[in-house]
Amino acid sequence: MEKLKMQTADGVQDNISRIAELFPECITEVKTQRGRIKRSVDFDKLRQLLSSDIVEGNEERYQFTWPDKRKAILAANAPINATLRPCPEESVNFDTTQNLYIEGDNLDVLKCLKETYLHKVKMIYIDPPYNTGNDFVYEDDFAESAAEYLANSGQFDEQGNRLVTNTESNGRFHTDWLNMIYPRLKVARDLLTEDGVIFISIDDNEAKNLKNITDEVFGERNFLAQVVWERAFSPINLMKHFSPSHDYVLCYAKNIDSAVCHGIGRSNEANDRYSNPDNDPRGVWSSSDISVGPAVQENIYPITTPSGRVVEPPAGRSWRLSRKAFRERLEDNRIWFGPNGDNTPRIKRFLSELRKTGITPMTIWKHTEVDHSQGATQKLAKLFDGKKYFDYPKPVSLIERCLQLYSDKDSLILDFFSGSATTAHAVMQLNAEDGGNRKYIMAQLPELTDEKSEAYKAGYKNICEIGKERIRRAGAKIKAENPEKAQHLDTGFRVLKLDSSNMKDVFYSPKETSQLELFRYVDNVKDDRTSGDLLFQVMLELGATLDSKIEESKVDGKTIYNVGDGYLVACFDQDVSDDVVKAIAKMQPTYAVLRDTGMADDATATNFEQIFKTYSPNTTARIL
């Protein structure tokens, strides 16, 4: 019986698989220092196949690099033995919600999500540290051993977190920030759907470097816009030179050919520009200039208006349409000469025929449209009864605009720098407005609040506590303000917390465990882990989304979990009998999982495979 690997994907092996699809002759096998055989790339053969294109040595080429970039790439690809443990007591509507709130280092969280949520996220919004000289950045220690990394995964340092202050006096000021953001973007890109889009907020400190990184990770051709957001509306006169009033929002598509922009929702004012003075059966329309510059010689020709006046294009310009195209539109009543038939011709454009329902967004977003930083701070404080618990939150309306542009009503939204959970608030708000069923995944390191802060004094010991409470309050407020539209709005969330694997070391390296040690590891599951913990790690392993419906039942006194209406059925109890195995098999799940040590006796273990062959031959059975 095949065992589950209970480990995140190995990015290097994933890349080797991609090379194998293109150049199978370049794939070979090598023996590791531990004597294991693994796939590898024969770079000499690959060089031969690409000899005319390979750039090596000191040959000049365009590139963006920094100290430790290679290690940052390794960090993105390295697998980890980590899991996400459910926390129902801190959740809202744990059994029914489709939203997730995950606490932990976001690089580890992204790796845990990668296989299950590969190509499933429609839109990502993140607001990473701006690197202003006192921001915290994640401390990814590339030098630590694999064992140390696993031990630290999901844990905190002596100060209670895995963050370090990145001061401007630090000789690695930009390097540390780049090493932090690069692997996270690399892993996040894989989660996006083919038509997915990412928005990243940033200021001048790292805007240039972030643009270089995103060009590399997403590809220059997939750049959509660098939006300028007017975050402040009045000058700070104490500033010596300029008073900054803007931030940026970088926007990239996973594949620009697949991405669809829905536009900004049309206002009544925009629709009022359309009318129907000639009672055209196609409905209201507006008209646009028929001339264009610079002039195209063959499109310079006279046009006779219905009143008999002859008009030609203005000097230096020509008509937008060829003679033939003009005649076709004239015959189809798509040319307007004014109410008296004497004006210069214009093209009729019907509201019903607009290519998209919204207005094409411009790259400057004014505070009058999407709010400003001060307004966002005031609104969040009002939500917390007038108390200011979080600095510089983003406006809900800013993120709501991103959602309007590139998400659909059933899209999955990810924010792995969740902060005060503005993105979750925006998702619920937009769902209430347009009847959508967008779902979100928030991820945030539980960074400790300052003991002198108002948040700490109010009982919020870390940022995650603020974020979760913000979602609870925002959800209640939205429902109260929209009693009809938001009646069935999902304002709940499942809380999951990053931790080291549920499995003991012997699970991953049985050959390295001595005979005597094996007696201590009769059970390969850590003593402090519950069946719920095991279930969620198995869900990640087998591709069941973490919002899946989970039903519990009892057979012969043992708890059976049914995930996703039969996608996965599992039992993690001890002393499992043939009757329990038969009950699981008769449910005919896609996957069935039991513990290696859970069988009641040798006979049950022997009968296990035969029972599934008899009652559910298409089920893939696995053991822990």
Side-chain angles (χ1 to χ4, degrees):
M1 184 65 61
E2 186 176 340
K3 293 188 70 172
L4 295 168
K5 63 184 180 69
M6 304 292 272
Q7 187 180 63
T8 63
D10 186 332
V12 172
Q13 291 301 313
D14 287 347
N15 291 334
I16 290 175
S17 296
R18 293 171 187 169
I19 293 174
E21 292 177 6
L22 296 173
F23 308 107
E25 66 270 38
C26 295
I27 304 303
T28 185
E29 292 182 348
V30 296
K31 183 178 287 188
T32 67
Q33 291 181 343
R34 296 180 178 178
R36 297 176 183 173
I37 301 297
K38 72 172 186 177
R39 289 197 311 168
S40 186
V41 176
D42 186 331
F43 285 101
D44 288 334
K45 283 188 178 180
L46 189 60
R47 282 186 175 90
Q48 290 174 12
L49 293 173
L50 304 175
S51 59
S52 63
D53 298 316
I54 282 185
V55 179
E56 294 185 285
N58 296 322
E59 186 172 343
E60 292 182 354
R61 85 291 302 263
Y62 176 80
Q63 61 180 331
F64 175 60
T65 190
W66 64 90
D68 287 339
K69 181 178 181 179
R70 291 183 180 180
K71 293 179 180 178
I73 295 172
L74 290 175
N77 290 327
I80 58 170
N81 298 343
T83 189
L84 300 175
R85 301 176 67 183
C87 188
E89 63 273 15
E90 296 182 22
S91 305
V92 175
N93 302 329
F94 184 90
D95 293 331
T96 58
T97 185
Q98 294 183 295
N99 301 313
L100 302 176
Y101 189 98
I102 305 175
E103 299 185 21
D105 182 326
N106 54 14
L107 179 56
D108 296 357
V109 169
L110 289 170
K111 289 183 177 183
C112 285
L113 296 176
K114 182 176 176 180
E115 289 187 84
T116 299
Y117 288 91
L118 191 70
H119 311 320
K120 291 182 179 177
V121 175
K122 184 62 180 293
M123 198 195 94
I124 297 173
Y125 171 83
I126 57 171
D127 183 18
Y130 278 10
N131 209 22
T132 59
N134 55 12
D135 281 322
F136 286 104
V137 295
Y138 288 71
E139 187 176 39
D140 298 322
D141 188 353
F142 301 127
E144 66 184 349
S145 69
E148 290 171 332
Y149 185 78
L150 296 177
N152 290 332
S153 180
Q155 308 302 315
F156 305 118
D157 60 21
E158 299 83 6
Q159 287 75 41
N161 54 62
R162 287 187 64 190
L163 299 176
V164 293
T165 305
N166 198 30
T167 60
E168 290 181 276
S169 59
N170 175 11
R172 294 167 52 91
F173 180 66
H174 292 293
T175 294
D176 286 348
W177 190 87
L178 291 167
N179 285 334
M180 178 276 295
I181 198 69
Y182 184 85
R184 287 161 175 83
L185 291 178
K186 285 282 286 184
V187 181
R189 181 187 179 277
D190 291 334
L191 302 183
L192 282 174
T193 58
E194 194 64 13
D195 60 350
V197 170
I198 184 171
F199 289 89
I200 310 172
S201 285
I202 201 68
D203 71 354
D204 284 310
N205 288 286
E206 296 294 351
K208 176 181 68 174
N209 287 330
L210 179 63
K211 180 69 167 58
N212 284 330
I213 280 186
T214 44
D215 278 346
E216 180 172 320
V217 172
F218 292 92
E220 286 186 66
R221 73 178 299 270
N222 293 314
F223 170 71
L224 295 176
Q226 180 164 310
V227 173
V228 177
W229 166 49
E230 187 183 21
R231 65 170 173 80
F233 59 91
S234 59
I236 301 174
N237 291 322
L238 295 177
M239 299 299 291
K240 187 175 181 180
H241 295 291
F242 289 87
S243 178
S245 61
H246 71 279
D247 280 348
Y248 303 103
V249 183
L250 274 177
C251 182
Y252 279 77
K254 173 79 170 286
N255 182 343
I256 197 168
D257 296 326
S258 301
V260 176
C261 179
H262 303 300
I264 301 169
R266 302 188 63 83
S267 64
N268 291 332
E269 180 183 354
N271 288 338
D272 286 344
R273 300 191 187 110
Y274 289 78
S275 61
N276 194 1
D278 62 347
N279 295 315
D280 195 303
R282 289 164 292 198
V284 295
W285 51 269
S286 66
S287 63
S288 61
D289 190 358
I290 199 174
S291 69
V292 66
V296 177
Q297 190 61 39
E298 57 265 32
N299 288 350
I300 298 176
Y301 53 88
I303 292 176
T304 303
T305 70
S307 68
R309 187 167 71 94
V310 178
V311 295
E312 292 193 7
R317 298 171 71 85
S318 63
W319 300 125
R320 187 183 301 271
L321 303 171
S322 66
R323 292 174 185 264
K324 181 181 180 218
F326 177 80
R327 284 196 302 269
E328 289 173 349
R329 283 163 177 75
L330 184 63
E331 291 171 1
D332 195 30
N333 191 25
R334 290 179 179 271
I335 302 296
W336 176 245
F337 292 95
N340 299 320
D342 192 45
N343 293 353
T344 300
R346 295 173 65 85
I347 301 175
K348 292 167 65 174
R349 302 194 183 279
F350 295 89
L351 181 61
S352 60
E353 295 178 352
L354 289 179
R355 185 166 54 88
K356 53 189 176 187
T357 57
I359 300 170
T360 300
M362 299 181 71
T363 54
I364 295 179
W365 293 1
K366 299 179 180 179
H367 73 81
T368 52
E369 302 170 1
V370 295
D371 207 354
H372 45 71
S373 184
Q374 184 178 348
T377 301
Q378 292 171 345
K379 289 181 176 68
L380 182 57
K382 187 176 180 180
L383 193 63
F384 281 90
D385 304 319
K387 304 291 185 180
K388 182 184 174 184
Y389 295 144
F390 196 91
D391 294 325
Y392 310 116
K394 290 294 182 290
V396 171
S397 51
L398 174 70
I399 302 177
E400 196 174 350
R401 170 168 287 190
C402 299
L403 292 167
Q404 289 171 337
L405 292 177
Y406 286 100
S407 79
D408 300 317
K409 288 189 176 182
D410 59 351
S411 293
L412 176 61
I413 314 301
L414 170 65
D415 183 346
F416 52 91
F417 285 95
S418 174
S420 66
T422 304
T423 300
H425 190 159
V427 168
M428 292 189 294
Q429 183 67 50
L430 185 56
N431 281 343
E433 292 171 4
D434 68 5
N437 187 37
R438 297 170 188 82
K439 303 174 286 290
Y440 63 74
I441 300 176
M442 300 292 106
Q444 174 63 42
L445 188 84
E447 177 189 343
L448 300 180
T449 53
D450 190 319
E451 293 186 8
K452 298 178 182 178
S453 67
E454 290 298 318
Y456 186 90
K457 294 174 184 177
Y460 301 107
K461 305 306 180 187
N462 61 59
I463 288 179
C464 292
E465 299 305 316
I466 299 174
K468 288 179 289 188
E469 181 61 18
R470 194 251 182 93
I471 299 173
R472 296 185 190 103
R473 292 181 179 230
K477 182 174 183 289
I478 292 169
K479 280 193 169 183
E481 293 176 347
N482 304 272
E484 294 182 6
K485 285 186 177 181
Q487 184 178 0
H488 301 293
L489 182 67
D490 183 1
T491 57
F493 54 92
R494 277 184 181 175
V495 175
L496 303 166
K497 298 190 178 184
L498 181 77
D499 208 330
S500 58
S501 172
N502 295 309
M503 315 309 292
K504 295 177 181 177
D505 290 343
V506 67
F507 180 88
Y508 299 101
S509 54
K511 292 181 180 179
E512 298 172 15
T513 306
S514 70
Q515 194 74 20
L516 288 175
E517 286 178 309
L518 282 173
F519 287 106
R520 294 195 298 112
Y521 293 113
V522 174
D523 187 358
N524 54 19
V525 176
K526 292 177 180 176
D527 297 335
D528 65 335
R529 303 306 167 93
T530 67
S531 293
D533 294 333
L534 293 174
L535 179 65
F536 273 80
Q537 188 164 5
V538 169
M539 288 167 64
L540 283 172
E541 176 81 8
L542 297 177
T545 57
L546 298 173
D547 64 338
S548 298
K549 182 174 70 172
I550 302 171
E551 297 175 304
E552 294 183 28
S553 59
K554 293 281 187 180
V555 174
D556 198 17
K558 309 303 178 185
T559 300
I560 295 177
Y561 297 96
N562 184 336
V563 179
D565 294 321
Y567 178 80
L568 163 67
V569 175
C571 178
F572 304 110
D573 290 340
Q574 301 287 354
D575 299 321
V576 171
S577 65
D578 281 358
D579 290 339
V580 177
V581 177
K582 286 179 184 177
I584 293 174
K586 287 179 179 180
M587 297 169 74
Q588 298 186 328
T590 303
Y591 290 98
V593 178
L594 289 90
R595 287 172 75 160
D596 195 7
T597 59
M599 308 298 180
D601 48 42
D602 290 342
T604 302
T606 302
N607 296 336
F608 183 85
E609 289 190 59
Q610 188 57 48
I611 290 172
F612 274 95
K613 285 180 181 179
T614 302
Y615 294 99
S616 186
N618 294 324
T619 293
T620 301
R622 295 284 186 267
I623 58 171
L624 282 178

